[in-house]
Amino acid sequence: MPSQPVSIGDGLLRAGLEMTFPVVLVCGMFSSASTWAFNAAVDLIRLTSPCHVAFAAALDADTRLPPPPAGTVLVLKTHGWGDPAAFLARTPGVRCIVTVRDPRDAVVSLMQRFGYGFDRAVAYADHGAAGIVGVALRPDSLLLRYESGFVDRITTISTIASHLGLTPRDEQIETLFRKLQPDAVQAAIAQAERLERFPKGLPPGETADPQTQWHPGHIGDRRIGKYAQLLDRNRQSAIATRLARYMEHFGYAA
């Protein structure tokens, strides 16, 4: 994962509703479709406002963001590392979107898509679990649960838009939803590879297109509950023990 956020200033100003807050934070468990939600938020915002994007490897009380130009929205993506709740307490005007998934499936997905060993995948999931809970505890956070199939429902685009105070037209929602379908995402990843937008010298799970945060091999099999067939009881229990607070908070039975 990058050690510093990477910002891009390629938003396009359009006439229409302006955002009333300067920062959107998308915080999610690995493999929980946080990148899907991030891109949905970015594309929605760019219908009306210039937008910068960044990946934050970690957020805490000492994190300072450069002030965006007037009328510009910054969309941050993070996986909960550090103490994002402390960052939020010191950073006014942030609208939060939280994506969650059963961490046992998240671990399996990291192992399948990026070739992580079990211990490394568990460590990644565990490292951000408390931070994700902290962001979700904010009463104004939008919670998206992977198991609900939110990525397959066009109404999720409308839900995110409403959370951001936006009112896109139906045809705009349909266009954005099509852009986030698996085949379209695979095509976007292939284009990013052709254009050499992935940082060199890093394994697939550690490199991402700075504009979209899609990784090579990002799209997995999307199966829910696959851990039951692919992890033995000891490994399932190890995850449940390390991520007990996360699992309890979000209602994942051990």
Side-chain angles (χ1 to χ4, degrees), residues 175-239:
T175 297
L176 296 186
F177 185 66
R178 287 196 300 269
K179 184 179 177 182
L180 291 169
Q181 295 308 290
D183 289 349
V185 172
Q186 294 279 29
I189 292 170
Q191 182 182 39
E193 290 177 327
R194 289 193 299 271
L195 296 176
E196 298 185 343
R197 289 209 296 258
F198 295 114
K200 302 292 187 181
L202 296 171
E206 309 295 323
T207 187
D209 179 350
Q211 297 182 41
T212 64
Q213 292 302 309
W214 296 123
H215 298 279
H218 205 121
I219 304 299
D221 61 20
R222 303 171 66 199
R223 287 174 53 205
I224 294 171
K226 58 186 174 182
Y227 73 86
Q229 290 76 44
L230 298 174
L231 296 177
D232 62 32
R233 293 287 186 181
N234 288 336
R235 287 187 164 186
Q236 292 178 38
S237 296
I239 297 169

Side-chain angles (χ1 to χ4, degrees), residues 21-42:
F21 41 89
V23 180
V24 174
L25 176 66
V26 180
C27 179
M29 173 57 66
F30 289 98
S31 308
S32 67
S34 59
T35 309
W36 190 100
F38 169 82
N39 280 280
V42 169

Side-chain angles (χ1 to χ4, degrees), residues 34-52:
S34 59
T35 309
W36 190 100
F38 169 82
N39 280 280
V42 169
D43 289 345
L44 283 164
I45 292 166
R46 284 182 174 157
L47 294 172
T48 63
S49 304
C51 176
H52 292 190

